[in-house]
Amino acid sequence: MIKDHLTYGRKTPWQASNRERKRGRNLTWALRGMPVPEWVAEIWSGTATILALRCKGSRDGKAVDETRYNISSLRTSAQALMEHVRCSWSFENS
């Protein structure tokens, strides 16, 4: 239900995108987010947003199309949320 809304829904409250072209990468990052439903907030207290971050394009000549879903307690802009999620990936991949 939530995944479908973030992936296929026409309107989501928060949207941001960014394009990256360097080191053999030509990627477009698109974030879509929404406030957590009440039932999610009851299970995970303190959560504020549910995010879907899609990465589409090519990396070293290979096609890339990934979507990652996150739950966050941050209450900020879509652009700031996208940068935060991408920074956490750089720590995981280092």
Side-chain angles (χ1 to χ4, degrees), residues 16-34:
S17 64
N18 190 12
R19 187 157 193 162
E20 177 182 347
R21 292 184 194 181
K22 60 182 175 181
R23 297 187 205 137
R25 290 178 271 188
N26 184 6
L27 303 170
T28 300
W29 300 85
L31 177 129
R32 295 171 60 111
M34 61 186 250

Side-chain angles (χ1 to χ4, degrees), residues 5 7-8 27 35 38 49 53 56 66 70 82 87 91:
H5 183 72
T7 306
Y8 305 112
L27 303 170
E38 194 173 303
T49 56
L53 186 58
K56 189 172 182 177
E66 304 171 343
N70 298 290
M82 184 168 59
C87 284
F91 288 119

Side-chain angles (χ1 to χ4, degrees), residues 19-73:
R19 187 157 193 162
E20 177 182 347
R21 292 184 194 181
K22 60 182 175 181
R23 297 187 205 137
R25 290 178 271 188
N26 184 6
L27 303 170
T28 300
W29 300 85
L31 177 129
R32 295 171 60 111
M34 61 186 250
V36 294
E38 194 173 303
W39 63 271
V40 174
E42 290 174 5
I43 297 170
W44 291 295
S45 63
T47 57
T49 56
I50 295 179
L51 309 168
L53 186 58
R54 184 176 186 187
C55 175
K56 189 172 182 177
S58 65
R59 184 179 300 132
D60 296 325
K62 297 179 182 176
V64 174
D65 190 358
E66 304 171 343
T67 303
R68 298 180 186 189
Y69 299 91
N70 298 290
I71 297 175
S72 176
S73 61

